[in-house]
Amino acid sequence: MKAIRPLARTLLRDQAYASIRDAIVAGEIEPGAVVRDAELAERLGLSRAPVREAFARLVDEGLLESKPQSYTRVTRVDAAEVRDAAAVVGAMHELVTRVAVPRLFAADIETMRAANARFAAAVAAGDVDEALHADDDLHDVLVRVSGNRAAAATAARYTPLIRRLERRRFGEGGTCRSANLHDRLIEACAAGDVDRAVDITAEIWRGLAELADSD
């Protein structure tokens, strides 16, 4: 498992959480798989305590489910939960887009263009990891410029539920979000057209909700 590897002895709880979350989202730990704190602690080079804390956070976020004294396992991809997550994350991105667009500099627009070029190339090459990283980099410009930490934290909490479905669909021969939609978003941002940028952002996230509907 690429995401499960020994960790530096700093911020162990957060690192354990990120590593296990990424392994679940990437499908390295499959839906329905039982996870054991002792086993993962050994793989990560940690004590069991930070892994247990990570498990609790992942249960709260819907990636794990637990029955006390019985099991902790990876949840299966649930279309209704993905739709709900897409609605919440989409609302957060609409909010940050509305705030960020008037604050963008030329360098921010160029960062978004470069990220979208990487996104399009990755989709064409079938590289889901790079496609999703590039997608994050593009939208993170707006999140960063908005300065809204609450919106950023809310989006970060629910995005992994969506990513699992995106990754699976990509593996089935589908594509991630449209580079053309990104192009339209970037052009609206470059023109300082707040309402258009927000509308396109909403269209992007509606597409992900529809992806769940077709699951």
Side-chain angles (χ1 to χ4, degrees):
M1 295 182 182
K2 295 179 182 178
I4 302 294
R5 59 189 185 278
L7 301 174
R9 305 290 298 185
T10 57
L11 301 175
L12 298 182
R13 176 186 60 192
D14 291 341
Q15 290 188 52
Y17 161 79
S19 184
I20 297 167
R21 178 203 62 201
D22 291 349
I24 292 170
V25 171
E28 293 175 18
I29 307 177
E30 297 181 351
V34 173
V35 292
R36 297 177 175 84
D37 55 6
E39 178 183 337
L40 289 180
E42 182 178 358
R43 288 186 179 180
L44 294 168
L46 299 175
S47 68
R48 294 167 71 175
V51 173
R52 286 173 176 168
E53 292 182 38
F55 278 9
R57 185 172 172 185
L58 291 162
V59 167
D60 185 53
E61 294 181 1
L63 291 175
L64 293 178
E65 58 185 358
S66 181
K67 182 177 180 181
Q69 308 303 319
S70 182
Y71 62 78
T72 300
R73 66 189 177 198
V74 178
T75 57
R76 301 196 180 275
V77 177
D78 182 273
E81 290 186 358
V82 174
R83 281 196 303 274
D84 290 346
V88 171
V89 175
M92 295 303 99
H93 279 282
E94 289 177 48
L95 188 157
V96 300
T97 297
R98 186 170 296 282
V99 174
V101 169
R103 302 178 180 178
L104 291 169
F105 290 101
D108 297 317
I109 299 297
E110 289 310 307
T111 298
M112 294 174 72
R113 291 191 198 282
N116 198 34
R118 286 169 32 226
F119 173 85
V123 170
D127 186 343
V128 64
D129 288 322
E130 177 56 25
L132 294 179
H133 286 153
D135 183 76
D136 284 339
D137 288 346
L138 188 157
H139 292 282
D140 282 351
V141 172
L142 296 169
V143 174
R144 171 181 56 78
V145 172
S146 78
N148 191 322
R149 294 174 62 186
T154 302
R157 172 172 178 167
Y158 292 104
T159 295
L161 290 171
I162 304 164
R163 288 295 196 227
R164 286 206 294 170
L165 181 59
E166 284 186 285
R167 282 179 174 275
R168 189 174 79 189
R169 283 306 175 83
F170 195 103
E172 292 170 350
T175 61
C176 297
R177 304 177 211 180
S178 166
N180 178 259
L181 273 175
H182 286 162
D183 281 335
R184 289 167 51 203
L185 173 62
I186 293 166
E187 291 312 310
C189 290
D193 190 334
V194 174
D195 289 339
R196 184 164 164 247
V198 171
D199 287 345
I200 296 166
T201 298
E203 184 178 351
I204 289 170
W205 290 95
R206 276 198 307 271
L208 288 174
E210 290 166 4
L211 188 69
D213 287 333
S214 65
D215 191 50

